[in-house]
């Protein structure tokens, strides 16, 4: 539906340094395209007006409605020119509808616009974008027209054409009294659900009777009592045009949502309404109706797209299907073969083309172009060999063709023009237009094909119009794309003969004149646009303004003075171009040769000479912005010029070893550029560059390619050309004189010393100047010093020399991050830079060899804290470095420490030795440190937050049930991130887990020592714990107990707890010494008949032999003294509030594999571990296998709400950047439904 959201309204040398580029032509200036072969106009979609377009096309192809509307003149409706006058009585809606219909009938454009009409409705841009129902629009539009036409001769237009009457009758079974009520209808609404087709629906409505009987009786007014009766409805009056609305959209009361009925629903092309009428004594022809329009809806009940199938009653369009067009082409080809001699004669073809031209004459080159379009082959290919050149052929027939005085245009002599027209009219072509006829372009009007019926169907889909067959209507009986409204017309309505094929029929004079003027303007704009689209800009370079030196042409004056711009139609010939150049250069003497030119880095170079004056510019490949050199074809300024691709000049970068080294370190080179022809022999190049002898080495990588090793040109290469050995613009060669040849290993052909890595480094300017994005390439070797590279870059960027004292070079990573600056006294090799690397020229001094460049962030969240940079001495201590970082970040205090950053970019190992130097701790340049809040514990000590676990077994059953989560995990929400301090007030007394405080303990201490120290905390002193073995220790992860710590004698360091570990202490009723193969599970029995569980108990299971489903079921059954086959067990996943049944079913595997593969519950999908909750169902008392509880339902609902809230928040963030940010976002992305309305003035 939103296909056409927006309406379609109607340098010297390009891409190089010789001139500016050609400006693009704006599309807004282009006129709308003409009608296609159907000769019918579509309607543009304003964004959501496809429903309006379909109804308007239906009204247009209702000739009686259209002509009745056209019969209302300005004396009744007023004039649109007076609409702005305050006291004028202008009926805008019918006037705009008249004007739109005239445009659709007469204006030569592919699609008309409804903007003026919708503005007369009072609609704004939001209304034009909003989707509405076409059935609703049909009623509202007719109501608006009736209101607008009050007091005119068309006041009864809608009633006369569309209104019918339905009578509802109730007949008393006792007194036969008839109670009736009649209703007017504009359209009949018929059911779709449960009905096979239109005729069945009408039968149910107007033939079937409804009976009042038994308990459902009718109170008769005549009998004055409840009686049996029958109720029926009949059509009392039939309108000339019957509109039927199909109830495709229904409401599902179970799902509480609308849906579209897509079942099969048939409707006939012709229908006899006699069985449904009250009066049936008239002839059958009075009740016959023919289908002429079907409005189709594609989509669902909340959106979609409308288009319409329409029968062309007046035969205004050209109906031609693709298969019939193919058959017509085949028949034409057959006739062409049979009449080959007649067809081969070009005289008839040329006469036909010239007779169709509206103007008397056309240019000769345009005649050749028309011939190419008509025959699919140019004159030169088809006729030149037999008849000679086109111009010569025309001149040889002076009795038929007539030339203009300048012989550039040609036309038919009047006698032959009239003869040809009379012949054409005899073949069925239309006669010349009358006075008020709209001027049509005869080229674009194909022959009209009609069958015996005379009327054809078209699919009008917004701007697109295409012919269809009548059988295509059957495809719209059902599916997502199906019929929605049906329009029938009485079969007795016959059209006058003068209306057939005549779009001007009954159109008022003033609209005919307006459309004539509009078509004339359209033709004028199309001609201008055609000229603009086919015009090409050529840049003429005059030889008198150029000189040839250094292998290429260079302007002797400025570039602007040496170039002349010329705009010409690409369909013109080379001869026309030559004549235009002659006219521009009146002082030119002698031969004029035009050559294609191309700007190269070395200068302007000439290629092929343009030849063949009869060829079009498009045919010879002249593109927009082409460069043409105008000369005598021999020399420029007395110097002979070599042309063609074989003599292209190539700019080569020549490197030589410098005679002295200013810096005393590294290798220096001198650079210069030389130009050679690509056909130059390599030996000649060596003699020119090294006359005293020497060798040449190449690096054919060029400035934009990957660097390769330098290779020596061998003696056998000297006979090759520059192009043959791969030297192109930008390639470098290294010249080594005789005293430098010791660096070369001639056996392998490569350099052996420093020169094997000569290449480039890229430098980008980050000093925030106007050249910020500019890159330069600096030639360097692995021994080049970084300070030299920086100075070269500053000169290339043309920056101030003073910047050298306050700048540095920093490598740029692949993701664009600036890395640590490179010390200026380093060489490329020492800096570990690869050739071709990208460096950034930045403000600030580079660190010296004794300094470190470090990144740091405050806190572990890198998104909340930006990354900062600092330069410190490598001999600085950790404490000094921390103070510098705090000062730079604006922080103070001594409650901070430094940590390294680990591989996942989180705070890792602490730098605990505050007095150690950064160098001693192996902190390197480029490292990232984290400034973390909190003091560090003493060396070798751990600071561990302690949580106290209160067993839920002490609670009574049913206590605080709403807040419990199945036994021991009742209050897991209480477990939050531990506080930074040791405040004893941070205790949740009503929770199963409460924060007890933190302890500092040596890493060499045992688990028993940790338990002993935890017992001294205030929260734990309330509990009576005789020995540490009466305590169980867990690590805490994701707010839940995670890993169970076994073996009280084991050191804490052996557990690898990490710097951020938290411990949960659980008191026990008896001593516990768990072995390494014992698994601790929490088992809880379900309460029969309730969705709840008894308190959990601990189950210690030895898994040293096996950890299978069967073994666990045996252990649980033994724990509860129940048969194994009378229990069901499941594992609880508290983070998802889900239970996963542990099935007794065992996987069927072969005996061979059974030994290798055992079904372990510690693997997927159960991942059984210490502390897991196992739910148990006693099938003897409770046969329900649903393990979930009420709290699980509440938890899942909260999770679902949380997901929805996150989704809404993400949608709200996206909505802020949306055009309609002020509208409230709906989850289903449906626009709010707004009532459709049309504003009409008062004309009573």
């Amino acid at each position: 539906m939103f296909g056409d959201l927006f309406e379609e309204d109607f340098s010297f040398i390009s891409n190089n340094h010789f001139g500016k580029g050609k400006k693009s032509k704006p599309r807004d200036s282009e006129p709308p395209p003409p009608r296609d072969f159907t000769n019918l106009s579509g309607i543009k979609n304003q964004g959501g007006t496809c429903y309006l377009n379909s109804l308007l096309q239906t009204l247009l192809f209702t000739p009686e409605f259209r002509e009745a509307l056209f019969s209302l003149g300005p004396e009744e409706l007023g004039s649109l020119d007076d609409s702005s006058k305050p006291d004028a009585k202008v009926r805008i809606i019918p006037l705009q509808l008249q004007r739109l219909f005239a445009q659709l009938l007469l204006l030569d454009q592919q699609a008309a616009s409804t903007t003026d009409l919708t503005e007369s409705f009072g609609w704004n841009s939001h209304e034009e974008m909003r989707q509405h129902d076409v059935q609703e629009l049909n009623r509202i539009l007719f109501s608006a027209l009736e209101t607008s036409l009050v007091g005119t001769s068309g006041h009864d237009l809608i009633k006369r054409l569309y209104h019918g009457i339905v009578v509802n009758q109730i007949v008393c079974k006792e007194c036969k009294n008839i109670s009736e009520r009649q209703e007017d209808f504009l359209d009949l609404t018929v059911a779709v659900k449960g009905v096979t087709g239109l005729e069945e629906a009408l039968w149910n409505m107007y033939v079937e009777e409804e009976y009042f009987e038994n308990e459902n009786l009718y109170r008769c007014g005549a009998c004055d009592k409840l009686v049996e009766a029958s109720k029926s409805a009949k059509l009392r009056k039939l309108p000339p045009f019957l509109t039927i609305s199909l109830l495709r959209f229904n409401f599902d009361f179970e799902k509480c949502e609308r849906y579209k009925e897509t079942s099969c629903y048939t409707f006939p092309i012709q229908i006899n309404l006699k069985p449904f009428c009250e009066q049936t004594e008239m002839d059958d022809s009075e009740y016959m109706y023919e289908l002429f329009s079907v409005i189709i809806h594609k989509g669902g009940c909340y959106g979609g797209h409308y288009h319409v199938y329409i029968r062309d009653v007046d035969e205004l369009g050209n109906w031609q299907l693709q298969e019939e067009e193919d058959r017509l082409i085949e028949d034409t080809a057959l006739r062409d073969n049979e009449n080959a001699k007649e067809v081969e004669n070009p005289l008839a073809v040329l006469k036909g083309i010239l007779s169709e031209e509206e103007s008397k004459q056309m240019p000769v080159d345009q005649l050749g172009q028309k011939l190419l379009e008509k025959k699919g082959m140019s004159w030169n290919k088809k006729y030149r060999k037999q008849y000679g050149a086109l111009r010569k052929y025309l001149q040889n027939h002076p009795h038929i063709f007539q030339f203009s005085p300048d012989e550039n245009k040609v036309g038919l002599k009047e006698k032959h023009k009239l003869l040809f027209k009379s012949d054409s009219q005899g073949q069925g072509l239309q006669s010349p237009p009358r006075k008020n006829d709209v001027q049509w372009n005869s080229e674009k009007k194909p022959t009209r094909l009609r069958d015996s019926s005379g009327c054809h169907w078209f699919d009008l889909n917004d701007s697109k119009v295409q012919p269809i067959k009548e059988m295509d209507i059957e495809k719209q009986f059902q599916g997502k794309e199906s019929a929605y409204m049906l329009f029938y017309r009485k079969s007795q309505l016959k059209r006058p003969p003068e209306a057939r094929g005549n779009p001007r029929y009954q159109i008022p004079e003033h609209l005919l004149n307006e459309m004539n003027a509009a078509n004339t303007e359209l033709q004028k704009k199309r001609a201008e646009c055609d000229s603009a689209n086919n015009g090409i800009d050529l840049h003429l370079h005059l030889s008198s303004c150029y000189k040839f030196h250094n292998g290429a042409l260079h302007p002797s004056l400025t570039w602007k003075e040496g170039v002349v711009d010329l705009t010409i139609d690409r369909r013109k010939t080379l001869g026309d171009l030559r004549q235009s150049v002659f006219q521009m250069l009146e002082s030119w003497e002698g031969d004029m040769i035009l050559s294609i030119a191309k700007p190269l880095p070395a200068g302007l170079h000439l290629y092929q000479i343009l030849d063949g004056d009869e060829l079009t510019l498009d045919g010879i490949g002249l593109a927009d912005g082409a460069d043409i050199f105008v000369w005598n074809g021999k020399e420029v300024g007395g110097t002979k010029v070599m042309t063609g691709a074989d003599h292209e000049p190539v700019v080569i970068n020549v490197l030589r070893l410098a005679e002295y080294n200013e810096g005393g370190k590294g290798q220096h080179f001198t650079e210069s550029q030389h130009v050679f022809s690509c056909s130059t022999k390599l030996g000649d190049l060596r003699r020119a560059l090294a006359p005293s002898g020497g060798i040449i080495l190449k690096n054919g990588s060029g400035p934009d390619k990957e660097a390769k090793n330098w290779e020596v040109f061998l003696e056998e290469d000297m006979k090759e050309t520059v192009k043959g050995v791969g030297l192109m613009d930008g390639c470098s060669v290294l010249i080594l004189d005789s005293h430098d040849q010791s660096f070369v290993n001639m056996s392998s052909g490569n350099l052996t010393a420093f020169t094997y890595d000569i290449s480039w480094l890229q430098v980008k300017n980050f000093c925030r100047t106007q050249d910020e994005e500019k890159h330069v390439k600096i030639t360097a070797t692995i021994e080049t010093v970084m300070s030299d590279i920086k100075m070269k870059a500053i000169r290339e960027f043309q920056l101030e020399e003073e910047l050298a004292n306050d700048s540095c070079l920093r490598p740029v990573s692949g993701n664009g991050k600036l890395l640590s600056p490179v010390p200026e006294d380093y060489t490329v090799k020492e800096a570990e830079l690869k050739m071709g690397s990208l460096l950034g020229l930045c403000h600030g001094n580079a660190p010296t060899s004794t300094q470190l460049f470090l990144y740091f962030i405050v806190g572990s969240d890198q998104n909340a804290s930006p990354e900062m940079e600092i330069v410190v001495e490598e001999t600085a201590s950790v404490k000094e470095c921390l103070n510098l970082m705090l000062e730079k970040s604006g922080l103070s205090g001594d409650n901070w420490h430094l940590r390294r950053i680990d591989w996942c970019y989180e705070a890792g190992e602490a730098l605990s030795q505050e007095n150690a130097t950064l160098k001693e701790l192996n902190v390197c340049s480029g490292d990232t440190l984290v400034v973390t809040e909190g003091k560090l514990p003493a060396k070798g000590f751990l600071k561990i937050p302690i949580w106290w676990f209160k067993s839920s077994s002490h609670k009574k059953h049913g206590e605080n049930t709403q807040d419990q989560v199945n036994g021991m995990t009742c209050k897991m929400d209480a477990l939050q991130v531990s506080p930074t301090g040791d405040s004893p007030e941070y205790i949740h007394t009503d929770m199963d887990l409460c924060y007890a405080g933190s302890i500092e303990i040596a890493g060499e201490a045992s688990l028993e020592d940790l338990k002993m120290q935890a017992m001294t905390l205030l929260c734990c002193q309330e509990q009576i714990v005789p020995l540490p073995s009466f305590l169980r220790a867990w690590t805490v992860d994701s707010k839940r107990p995670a890993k169970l710590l076994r073996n009280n004698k084991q050191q804490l360091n052996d557990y690898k707890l990490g710097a951020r570990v938290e411990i949960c202490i659980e008191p026990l009723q008896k001593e516990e010494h768990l072995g390494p193969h014992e698994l601790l599970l929490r088992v809880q029995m379900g309460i029969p008949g309730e969705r709840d569980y008894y308190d959990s108990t601990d189950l210690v299971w030895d898994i040293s032999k096996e950890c299978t489903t069967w073994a666990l079921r045996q252990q649980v059954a033994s724990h509860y003294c129940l048969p194994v086959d009378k229990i069901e067990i499941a594992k609880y996943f508290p983070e998802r509030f889900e239970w996963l049944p542990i099935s007794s079913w065992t996987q069927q595997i072969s005996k061979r594999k059974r030994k290798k593969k055992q079904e372990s519950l510690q693997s997927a999908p159960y991942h059984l571990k210490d502390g897991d909750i196992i739910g148990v169902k006693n099938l003897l008392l409770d046969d329900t296998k649903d393990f979930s509880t009420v709290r699980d339902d509440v938890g899942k609902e909260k999770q679902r709400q949380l997901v929805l809230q996150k989704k809404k928040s993400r949608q709200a963030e996206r909505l802020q950047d949306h055009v309609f940010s002020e509208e409230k976002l709906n989850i289903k992305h449906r626009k709010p439904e707004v009532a459709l309305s049309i504003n009409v003035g008062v004309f009573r």
Side-chain angles (χ1 to χ4, degrees), residues 751-809:
L751 293 184
T752 58
F754 54 85
T755 48
Y756 75 96
D757 260 339
I758 298 177
S759 187
W760 290 270
L761 289 173
Q762 303 179 75
V763 181
K764 182 179 180 181
N765 185 12
F766 282 94
C767 290
R768 308 301 179 196
T769 64
Q770 59 183 1
D771 297 326
E772 180 181 349
E773 298 300 325
K774 184 178 178 183
H775 288 69
V776 295
K777 294 183 181 291
I778 306 299
T779 304
T781 70
I782 60 174
E783 296 297 331
T784 305
V785 183
M786 298 306 299
S787 58
D788 294 342
I789 296 175
K790 185 178 77 172
M791 292 305 301
K792 286 184 179 181
I794 291 175
R795 296 190 189 102
E796 289 287 339
F797 287 130
Q798 298 180 355
L799 302 176
E800 298 178 358
E801 295 286 341
E802 290 78 8
L803 189 63
N805 298 324
D806 186 28
S807 61
C808 60
L809 292 176

Side-chain angles (χ1 to χ4, degrees), residues 584-681:
M584 292 178 65
L585 308 175
E586 298 177 354
S587 59
W588 187 274
E589 295 181 359
D591 296 335
M592 176 184 289
I593 301 298
L594 303 180
S595 296
I596 297 290
K598 182 180 179 181
L600 300 174
L604 197 68
H605 183 67
L606 305 183
Y607 292 85
Q608 73 270 21
I609 295 176
L610 299 178
D611 194 15
D613 284 0
E614 74 281 357
L615 300 177
T616 64
L617 301 182
D618 195 36
I620 62 177
L622 271 187
D624 189 26
D627 299 292
I628 306 295
F629 195 75
V630 185
W631 63 314
N632 58 14
K634 299 177 183 178
E635 47 83 22
V636 174
T639 304
K640 184 178 179 181
V641 177
M642 304 299 290
T643 64
D646 294 336
H647 299 283
E648 280 187 0
V650 178
V651 179
I652 297 176
N653 191 32
V654 179
L655 302 178
R656 299 176 187 270
L657 291 177
E659 296 181 359
Y660 61 93
N661 188 349
E662 295 179 357
K665 183 178 180 181
Q667 184 61 51
H668 289 258
F669 297 89
T670 60
E671 301 179 33
S672 60
Q673 289 186 337
H674 294 262
V675 179
F676 296 93
S677 172
C678 65
S679 59
T680 303
K681 298 290 184 182

Side-chain angles (χ1 to χ4, degrees), residues 246-527:
L246 307 183
L247 283 176
R248 286 279 183 191
F249 299 125
N250 287 317
F251 189 82
D252 189 332
F253 288 95
E254 292 183 358
K255 297 181 179 179
C256 289
E257 63 180 12
R258 287 189 292 177
Y259 69 96
K260 181 178 179 180
E261 189 66 51
T262 58
S263 58
C264 182
Y265 190 89
T266 62
F267 47 88
I269 299 297
Q270 287 189 336
I271 187 171
N272 188 346
L273 297 180
K274 188 174 183 179
F276 318 117
C277 292
E278 182 183 30
Q279 301 174 2
T280 58
E281 62 274 6
M282 293 185 291
D283 188 72
D284 281 359
S285 60
E286 295 287 341
Y287 304 99
M288 292 300 298
Y289 279 77
E290 296 177 348
L291 183 70
F292 76 97
S293 177
V294 182
I295 293 183
I296 299 159
H297 180 265
K298 178 181 180 181
C301 57
Y302 292 105
H305 178 67
Y306 289 97
H307 62 109
V308 60
Y309 286 177
I310 288 181
R311 186 162 68 96
D312 186 11
V313 177
D314 278 351
E315 303 178 42
L316 302 177
N318 295 316
W319 187 87
Q320 185 172 333
L321 289 176
Q322 186 63 42
E323 51 266 26
E324 299 204 12
E325 185 178 356
D326 296 341
R327 180 176 52 79
L328 184 63
I329 293 173
E330 293 175 2
D331 294 344
T332 305
L334 185 61
R335 289 196 302 269
D336 289 347
N337 293 333
E338 293 173 353
N339 306 293
K341 292 183 180 180
E342 181 180 349
V343 173
E344 289 301 324
N345 185 4
L347 196 59
V349 180
L350 295 175
K351 287 168 66 176
I353 294 173
L354 290 172
S355 65
E356 294 175 355
E357 182 65 18
E358 293 182 0
S359 57
K360 295 183 178 179
Q361 293 182 328
M362 72 164 59
V364 177
D365 62 324
Q366 189 174 346
L367 177 62
Q369 193 72 19
K370 294 277 187 184
L371 178 67
L372 175 62
E373 295 173 0
K374 192 176 186 68
K375 304 299 292 183
M377 192 175 295
S378 65
W379 173 276
N380 290 340
K381 289 185 178 180
K382 190 171 183 65
Y383 300 112
R384 184 184 178 97
K385 186 175 181 181
Q386 184 175 357
Y387 298 100
L390 175 60
R391 187 181 295 272
K392 183 179 179 181
Y393 180 80
L394 297 172
Q395 291 172 346
N396 290 338
H397 295 79
H399 58 288
I400 299 175
F401 303 107
Q402 182 177 3
F403 278 88
S404 61
D406 58 358
E407 294 192 350
N408 284 332
K409 294 184 177 182
V410 66
L412 281 177
K413 288 200 170 181
E414 202 64 30
K415 178 178 68 174
H416 291 275
K417 200 167 188 177
L418 291 174
L419 284 174
F420 190 86
K421 281 192 175 183
S422 62
D423 292 344
S424 300
Q425 291 165 9
Q427 297 172 7
L429 294 176
Q430 292 184 351
S431 58
R434 301 186 299 274
K435 175 184 176 183
N436 287 324
D437 285 357
V438 177
Q439 303 298 322
W440 292 95
N441 191 348
S442 58
E443 300 172 12
K444 299 172 183 174
K445 195 163 186 176
T447 306
R448 180 177 288 118
L449 298 177
R450 299 194 182 98
D451 61 8
S452 57
S453 65
C455 297
H456 294 287
W457 287 82
F458 292 90
D459 178 12
L460 291 94
N461 192 345
D462 289 338
S463 300
K464 186 178 180 181
V465 182
Q466 59 184 9
I468 60 171
K469 290 184 176 180
E470 193 174 277
M471 66 181 65
D472 292 333
I473 300 176
E474 298 179 5
K475 299 177 183 178
Q476 308 304 329
F477 284 168
Q478 62 186 348
K480 287 284 187 181
E481 184 175 9
S482 51
Y484 189 57
M485 284 188 78
L486 308 175
F487 296 83
Y488 285 88
R489 57 183 288 124
K490 270 196 173 183
S491 301
Q492 286 186 339
L493 295 175
K494 302 298 181 183
R495 298 294 296 149
E498 57 270 20
R500 292 192 177 274
N502 183 9
R504 296 166 293 277
Y505 184 70
Q506 296 292 336
I507 296 182
E509 183 86 9
H510 68 283
L511 287 176
L512 284 174
N513 294 332
E514 182 183 348
M515 294 303 110
N516 272 331
N519 274 326
T520 302
E521 184 66 22
L522 272 177
Q523 290 178 5
K524 179 181 177 183
K525 284 186 177 181
R526 287 190 183 121

Side-chain angles (χ1 to χ4, degrees), residues 929-993:
L929 301 179
V930 183
V931 179
T932 309
E933 190 172 4
K935 285 187 177 181
L936 278 175
K939 182 180 179 181
F941 278 74
L942 299 173
K943 187 175 183 180
I944 302 176
I946 301 297
W947 294 85
W948 191 262
F949 176 73
K950 294 182 180 179
S951 175
S952 61
S953 61
H954 301 295
K955 290 191 176 184
K956 296 180 181 179
H957 169 63
E959 179 184 346
N960 202 9
T961 312
Q962 183 64 26
D963 295 332
Q964 293 185 8
V965 185
N966 306 321
M968 85 93 180
T969 53
C970 294
K971 301 293 182 176
M972 292 309 296
D973 291 341
L975 183 55
Q976 303 294 336
V977 179
S978 62
T980 56
D982 300 335
S983 173
E985 287 80 13
Y986 191 80
I987 298 177
H988 300 274
T989 57
D990 61 336
M991 300 295 182
D992 287 337
L993 280 161

Side-chain angles (χ1 to χ4, degrees), residues 174 289 293 325 434 553 560 593 609 713 767 790 808 852 909 925 957 971 977 1024 1030 1092 1106 1146 1153 1236:
E174 295 188 7
Y289 279 77
S293 177
E325 185 178 356
R434 301 186 299 274
L553 291 166
K560 190 172 183 179
I593 301 298
I609 295 176
F713 284 121
C767 290
K790 185 178 77 172
C808 60
L852 297 177
E909 176 192 0
S925 282
H957 169 63
K971 301 293 182 176
V977 179
I1024 301 175
F1030 283 79
D1092 203 353
E1106 58 179 345
T1146 55
K1153 292 183 178 180
L1236 182 64

